[in-house]
Amino acid sequence: MDAHSVIIRPVVSERAFSNMEQNKYTFEVAKDANKYQIKDAVEQIFNVKVTRVNTLTVKPKNKRVRYVTGKTRSWKKAIVTLAEGDSIEVFGNQA
């Protein structure tokens, strides 16, 4: 699996930005990617040293639009902890 197909996008939320102060970065990743593939992909794309990878599957939520009910999509999230001194630029500014 290619590194750019493993890492889909960074997650933009208040919790993700507050975790950046602790050197933890959150990404949406491919559902079939494991922790070793995620670690290799982040190290290859951003040229940093990864010390820990935590993954979780985000379950779909029920949503309703007028009379039709449905669900949001399920996706996989990875919280990547970097080595001391390393950081990733998100949106062009240093975090």
Side-chain angles (χ1 to χ4, degrees):
M1 200 182 270
D2 181 34
H4 289 283
S5 62
V6 172
I7 305 295
I8 297 173
R9 67 179 179 92
V11 175
V12 180
S13 66
E14 286 186 31
R15 178 175 284 176
F17 274 101
S18 66
N19 281 341
M20 286 182 195
E21 296 170 0
Q22 302 166 0
N23 234 8
K24 295 181 180 181
Y25 295 86
T26 307
F27 297 98
E28 179 181 349
V29 296
K31 277 189 158 185
D32 57 344
N34 60 33
K35 292 183 179 188
Y36 301 108
Q37 292 171 330
I38 295 167
K39 177 184 176 186
D40 293 339
V42 170
E43 287 179 347
Q44 180 182 352
I45 292 172
F46 298 107
N47 197 22
V48 292
K49 177 73 175 135
V50 175
T51 58
R52 174 178 232 158
V53 177
N54 295 333
T55 61
L56 61 119
T57 302
V58 179
K59 305 229 184 283
K61 294 181 181 178
N62 292 322
K63 294 290 181 177
R64 183 169 170 252
V65 178
R66 290 184 70 83
Y67 307 111
V68 180
T69 59
K71 290 185 180 273
T72 59
R73 67 187 179 95
S74 66
W75 52 286
K76 190 171 188 177
K77 179 172 26 176
I79 301 172
V80 178
T81 305
L82 301 182
E84 194 67 35
D86 284 343
S87 65
I88 296 175
E89 275 192 36
V90 179
F91 304 118
N93 54 355
Q94 194 69 17

